[in-house]
Amino acid sequence: MRAIHLNGHMVCLNEVTAEYFPHIIAWRNDPVNNQYLNQPFHLNMEKQRAWYEHYMADDTQGLLVVVDKEDNTPFATMGWTAYDAERHRCITGRLLVGDRRYRGSTHFAEATLLFADYVYDTLGVDICYAHIVRENAASLRYHEKYGFHQNEGEMQFPEERIVNGMEQVEYLRRREDWRVVKPMVQDRLRP
């Protein structure tokens, strides 16, 4: 069994387990959170368990739950799909700040730092792709703030262009792009 655990000063990122299912279900069913998710159905425990069974047998994806260490409060998820070790790439996603009090917080910035370092340094990814609903201005700003930019070349994952009737834009961030923005993230986290 996999057991990813990333430990920061304010947050830790833990690979998803059943203990987090109630949080994930509530977050993903919240109409505000769900507006741009590729989940056109009501999530319940049965569907979450079925997804988890598939997840545990698939080494091309990961899902981490972000937890505030001060009071052990789970507040977000982030992860990847389509991990290709030979091509050194993946799609980052599953990005959801379920507890809206943490949106734009230093806690979430630290989680982003830990996550990006893990993807580039541990998984050995050279390029991350992200697919963002064109109208999701908050997510577009977040990705650009953390070094992503719109893919101006050939779309690498054309099946992600339209998901559940929503047009998505393909963004990418190379390892070098992360190296440029990482010091700014670190500065933000300094006391």
Side-chain angles (χ1 to χ4, degrees), residues 16-34 37 39 41-52 63 65 74-77 96-100:
V16 65
T17 60
E19 76 176 280
Y20 297 116
F21 289 0
H23 299 284
I24 292 168
I25 292 168
W27 296 339
R28 293 186 71 88
N29 286 334
D30 179 315
V32 173
N33 292 341
N34 192 301
L37 295 183
Q39 176 193 301
F41 55 85
H42 183 80
L43 185 60
N44 59 32
M45 191 60 76
E46 182 181 338
K47 289 176 183 171
Q48 181 67 25
R49 284 190 184 116
W51 171 85
Y52 188 66
L63 178 64
V65 177
F75 67 88
T77 61
L96 176 60
V97 183
D99 186 332
R100 290 189 279 280

Side-chain angles (χ1 to χ4, degrees), residues 175-189:
R175 183 186 296 265
E176 311 85 73
D177 300 324
W178 173 241
R179 286 187 183 138
V180 170
V181 298
K182 181 177 175 178
M184 292 178 270
V185 179
Q186 291 170 317
D187 286 346
R188 181 172 178 215
L189 298 175

Side-chain angles (χ1 to χ4, degrees), residues 11-187:
V11 301
C12 60
L13 282 68
N14 300 320
E15 187 162 23
V16 65
T17 60
E19 76 176 280
Y20 297 116
F21 289 0
H23 299 284
I24 292 168
I25 292 168
W27 296 339
R28 293 186 71 88
N29 286 334
D30 179 315
V32 173
N33 292 341
N34 192 301
Q35 184 177 7
Y36 298 114
L37 295 183
N38 61 354
Q39 176 193 301
F41 55 85
H42 183 80
L43 185 60
N44 59 32
M45 191 60 76
E46 182 181 338
K47 289 176 183 171
Q48 181 67 25
R49 284 190 184 116
W51 171 85
Y52 188 66
E53 236 177 79
H54 173 75
Y55 168 83
M56 290 306 294
D58 184 353
D59 62 359
T60 67
Q61 61 176 317
L63 178 64
L64 306 178
V65 177
V66 185
V67 178
D68 182 337
K69 288 171 60 174
E70 185 177 342
D71 57 9
N72 201 34
T73 300
F75 67 88
T77 61
M78 46 184 59
W80 64 90
T81 57
Y83 171 61
D84 185 333
E86 288 182 21
R87 296 176 74 183
H88 303 281
R89 71 182 199 174
C90 71
I91 299 173
T92 59
R94 299 179 167 163
L95 183 64
L96 176 60
V97 183
D99 186 332
R100 290 189 279 280
R101 296 174 298 173
Y102 289 90
R103 290 190 178 167
S105 70
T106 54
H107 288 72
F108 193 58
E110 183 181 57
T112 299
L113 175 72
L114 293 168
F115 177 77
D117 281 349
Y118 180 82
V119 170
Y120 292 114
D121 299 339
T122 303
L123 292 181
V125 168
D126 289 327
I127 186 167
C128 295
Y129 292 89
H131 299 94
I132 307 156
V133 173
R134 187 174 297 282
E135 292 80 23
N136 191 348
S139 185
L140 292 169
R141 280 191 309 273
Y142 165 84
H143 282 83
E144 289 170 1
K145 178 179 181 177
Y146 289 101
F148 281 85
H149 53 89
Q150 192 168 343
N151 181 3
E152 300 296 340
E154 180 182 345
M155 190 168 192
Q156 295 300 299
F157 297 91
E159 68 277 9
E160 299 291 335
R161 184 178 307 279
I162 305 288
V163 175
N164 299 325
M166 296 181 288
E167 183 182 358
Q168 299 194 114
V169 181
E170 186 170 78
Y171 270 58
L172 61 89
R173 179 178 66 195
R174 291 181 176 82
R175 183 186 296 265
E176 311 85 73
D177 300 324
W178 173 241
R179 286 187 183 138
V180 170
V181 298
K182 181 177 175 178
M184 292 178 270
V185 179
Q186 291 170 317
D187 286 346

